[in-house]
Amino acid sequence: MNKIILGIETSCDETAAAVYTSSDGMRSNHLFSQIALHTPFGGVVPEVASRSHLEKINIIVQQALDTAHCTLDDIDCIAVTNKPGLAGSLLVGVCFAKALAWAKNKKLIGINHLEGHAFSAQIEHDISFPYLCITASGGHTALYLIRDFGVYDLLGQTLDDAAGEAFDKIAKLMDLPYPGGPVIEKYAAQVGFEDFFAYPRTTHKSLDFSFSGLKTAVLYDLVKRGAYQLETKRFTQQANLFLQEQVASSLLVCITDIFEQKIRLAVKQHPQIKAVAFVGGVACNKYIKKRLGSFCNQINIPFFAPSPQYCTDNAGMIAFVGNYKAQQGHYSDLSLDILI
């Protein structure tokens, strides 16, 4: 049955809205990024994020409807991220969606932001079940066994810092701009993605991730090299571009090696896996994506990743998940609340 889904995403620092239909696929996918607002602070400021959502959400939703050539009257269901995320940011999206649903008598579906990421590669690719999915972003890193639409098992997750968080924190150690992921890749490319410093890799047999120790290893390596002062918490070699490039390159190679190790271990433990998907904001990283694609090719498993517009926190993935939940009759009521 064809349904028209309006998706709304405000879990962190992007205000996003999209329209997805069962018959036509994605008809619009709009987003306002707050990176410029948070860059001076070196990270997301929750109060700034929620205020920006309040300013932009009506505009972004209207843009999504206009691009899709429809109105709220045409919408069958409103899908909105209600977990996990920043409390203030989530509240803006959920309250807005509930108000629209009540005013227009529309169906409502609360969506787990992480489920949106986990199925985002399915928007553009027909991936055979079951498949392995790595979700990697600034807030979360996890490994899922995807059995069917809406049916999945959590195999492992970050025990501390997420991969994107490690990029941000280590970039900040070296006085590099926020967000850290793009600048780390840019600097690493200048020295050919070589592993100069051999930072420690996790070698245990768990499918969980841990990047806090890696961040600490980089910090104390910089201290040992006289490039960082613990007393003043300052990077002392801003002019040493080559050192920054070496650190960036070694970090990127190390994190990619960890991802490879987890794929190898997961495939060994779950031989029924038919494909691997790499999703989330970190999946915008071309080096990691290329390395993982090559590795999967070596072990004869198809590899998939969304295009960049579906990697970051977007509403397209929320509308997509909302569509199959609507087909399954999994609706929410107006008591829908947030869960951080």
Side-chain angles (χ1 to χ4, degrees):
M1 181 180 179
N2 185 47
K3 292 185 180 295
I4 304 177
I5 311 295
L6 171 64
I8 297 174
E9 154 65 30
T10 63
S11 64
C12 189
D13 61 337
E14 277 100 7
T15 310
V19 174
Y20 182 89
T21 73
S22 309
S23 58
D24 302 330
M26 202 68 64
R27 288 171 57 175
S28 66
N29 188 36
H30 284 263
L31 179 149
F32 173 77
S33 173
Q34 300 178 9
I35 286 177
L37 298 177
H38 300 288
T39 294
F41 306 102
V44 177
V45 180
E47 178 68 14
V48 172
S50 55
R51 287 180 180 272
S52 179
H53 288 309
L54 282 170
E55 293 173 356
K56 297 296 183 180
I57 189 166
N58 190 59
I59 297 170
I60 296 299
V61 167
Q62 190 60 55
Q63 286 178 350
L65 293 170
D66 290 345
T67 301
H69 303 292
C70 64
T71 68
L72 283 172
D73 292 328
D74 301 315
I75 297 296
D76 294 303
C77 178
I78 301 169
V80 59
T81 302
N82 73 308
K83 62 181 179 181
L86 300 176
S89 293
L90 287 169
L91 274 171
V92 173
V94 169
C95 290
F96 191 85
K98 287 166 67 173
L100 291 181
W102 179 83
K104 290 293 186 176
N105 194 28
K106 302 296 181 181
K107 296 287 187 179
L108 179 71
I109 302 179
I111 304 293
N112 184 326
H113 173 84
L114 300 181
E115 185 172 347
H117 277 305
F119 287 88
S120 60
Q122 287 275 8
I123 297 173
E124 301 164 300
H125 306 286
D126 183 13
I127 309 175
S128 298
F129 299 109
Y131 65 91
L132 181 72
C133 181
I134 301 177
T135 66
S137 64
H140 305 276
T141 301
L143 203 59
Y144 296 95
L145 179 63
I146 309 293
R147 300 184 182 276
D148 203 341
F149 289 110
V151 182
Y152 51 92
D153 299 324
L154 178 65
L155 301 181
Q157 60 186 327
T158 182
L159 302 176
D160 37 62
D161 291 350
E165 189 178 0
F167 284 132
D168 290 340
K169 289 182 175 179
I170 292 170
K172 192 172 183 179
L173 284 178
M174 299 189 293
D175 283 344
L176 297 179
Y178 171 84
V183 72
I184 290 289
E185 184 177 22
K186 178 183 176 181
Y187 275 46
Q190 300 303 310
V191 288
F193 302 107
E194 295 292 331
D195 187 11
F196 294 94
F197 302 138
Y199 297 133
R201 278 77 165 151
T202 51
T203 56
H204 51 77
K205 299 302 181 181
S206 167
L207 291 175
D208 289 323
F209 296 89
S210 174
F211 295 104
S212 179
L214 174 58
K215 177 198 68 178
T216 303
V218 175
L219 169 62
Y220 282 102
D221 186 66
L222 289 172
V223 171
K224 183 180 70 176
R225 297 175 190 278
Y228 192 89
Q229 289 185 346
L230 288 174
E231 297 80 8
T232 60
K233 296 184 179 180
R234 293 185 63 86
F235 184 68
T236 62
Q237 296 191 28
Q238 288 90 342
N240 192 342
L241 179 61
F242 185 53
L243 175 62
Q244 291 171 315
E245 292 170 343
Q246 287 178 307
V247 172
S249 185
S250 300
L251 173 67
L252 191 52
V253 172
C254 179
I255 288 179
T256 308
D257 285 349
I258 292 170
F259 284 148
E260 271 194 14
Q261 178 212 5
K262 297 302 180 183
I263 292 174
R264 182 184 292 108
L265 185 58
V267 169
K268 184 177 180 180
Q269 293 181 6
H270 301 275
Q272 73 272 34
I273 288 171
K274 295 181 180 179
V276 172
F278 180 45
V279 304
V282 178
C284 289
N285 189 295
K286 295 177 182 177
Y287 169 78
I288 300 178
K289 191 159 50 176
K290 182 178 180 180
R291 278 269 314 271
L292 296 186
S294 296
F295 174 72
C296 289
N297 185 56
Q298 291 172 16
I299 60 175
N300 296 314
I301 292 181
F303 175 81
F304 300 94
S307 58
Q309 67 169 321
Y310 298 124
C311 288
T312 54
D313 292 350
N314 65 92
M317 64 184 188
I318 303 305
F320 179 80
V321 172
N323 176 65
Y324 69 66
K325 286 189 177 295
Q327 302 291 346
Q328 297 165 352
H330 295 164
Y331 296 108
S332 307
D333 57 36
L334 290 177
S335 66
L336 179 69
D337 204 350
I338 65 168
L339 181 65
I340 58 174

